Amino acid sequence: MIDHAHDLGAVREATDRLLSEAGKWDNAALAEPSRLPGWSRGHVLAHLSRNADALGNVLRGLPMYASSETRDADIATGAPRPLAEQLADFEESAGRFDAVAAEPADWSRTVTLRNGVTDSASRVPFRRLIELEIHHVDLDVGYELEDLPEGFTEREIVFLTDRFTGHPEVPATTLTDEGGRTWTTGGGSGGGSGGAPVSVGGTAAGLLGWLAGRRDGSALTVTGGGLPALPPL
């Protein structure tokens, strides 16, 4: 069962971690490349600020973004701002999201995100947590997938395997981590011999990195076929 109050607490903790890290930078560090192609660290921070406002819109029943073009333009415009301005925006937007989430609401209601995707309002805080944790890794400042809270890693693996379940381009796949936990995903054409699922094993961080498009999967062990190619998120 989704506990939105717990997730909101985790969002605040992740926000504080990222603010503490970014507070050590200078303007030059902000302008350095992130791990996301074509994006500086400034782009990542600008995106996180606008994402907080966007998810606040979702909770209010408004469109997440005015348009994809507006979203992209806001990130591009915000990216080169000085560090102090970026940090203030990030902190203020996080506060606005927290304030919206504190309003009395039916957390079981269905809300609409980008591209017509729908979800329970109760999962919106976890979606914000995903943005904060994964993009903290993307900043390339020493915070790695292995540093993510264990509970978050397992939940994000579940979230992503659910997302790819039944996808026509992803063959049936079974994932197993070093602790013996297993997940299944895919189910489209292809797969292993006789239609058996492809088996992919590795550390939880390694599996998450592959599912989230942050690692190429070369450190994973694959049997019953090749490592499935996952569609972009």
Side-chain angles (χ1 to χ4, degrees):
M1 184 175 183
I2 302 170
D3 184 345
H4 72 274
H6 172 273
D7 289 343
L8 286 169
V11 165
R12 288 188 285 270
E13 291 173 3
T15 297
D16 288 345
R17 277 196 301 275
L18 205 156
L19 270 171
S20 177
E21 170 58 43
K24 304 172 188 175
W25 304 347
D26 57 19
N27 289 331
L30 182 68
E32 290 178 0
S34 74
R35 291 177 177 173
L36 296 177
W39 272 21
S40 67
R41 290 176 181 148
H43 284 88
V44 176
L45 278 189
H47 163 63
L48 285 171
S49 296
R50 300 290 68 78
N51 173 261
D53 287 332
L55 289 177
N57 288 339
V58 168
L59 290 177
R60 288 192 175 100
L62 301 171
M64 189 169 178
Y65 295 100
S67 67
S68 294
E69 293 76 16
T70 298
R71 170 190 176 274
D72 295 345
D74 285 345
I75 294 171
T77 300
R81 294 174 298 172
L83 179 64
E85 188 175 340
Q86 284 262 34
L87 293 181
D89 185 21
F90 178 75
E91 189 167 16
E92 290 165 6
S93 62
R96 288 192 293 270
F97 174 77
D98 208 32
V100 174
E103 296 173 0
D106 174 13
W107 285 94
S108 66
R109 72 191 186 281
T110 297
V111 295
T112 302
L113 297 105
R114 288 184 75 195
N115 303 319
V117 173
T118 59
D119 203 351
S120 168
S122 63
R123 204 194 301 267
V124 171
F126 183 64
R127 286 179 175 272
R128 175 59 178 170
L129 184 61
I130 292 170
E131 294 288 325
L132 289 164
E133 292 287 17
I134 298 299
H135 284 317
H136 194 159
V137 175
D138 291 335
L139 288 168
D140 196 18
V141 288
Y143 189 72
E144 302 294 343
L145 294 171
E146 286 77 9
D147 298 317
L148 295 171
E150 181 179 358
F152 170 82
T153 296
E154 182 173 5
R155 286 184 65 192
E156 175 65 342
I157 291 174
V158 171
F159 184 83
L160 291 173
T161 52
D162 284 350
R163 185 167 181 169
F164 293 127
T165 294
H167 196 290
E169 298 177 13
V170 182
T173 306
T174 298
L175 293 80
T176 306
D177 75 357
E178 72 275 31
R181 293 174 295 187
T182 62
W183 302 268
T184 59
T185 194
S189 60
S193 176
V198 174
S199 295
V200 180
T203 65
L207 293 171
L208 173 56
W210 170 61
L211 288 167
R214 265 56 183 187
R215 293 184 182 172
D216 62 10
S218 59
L220 302 175
T221 300
V222 186
T223 58
L227 183 69
L230 299 177
L233 294 171

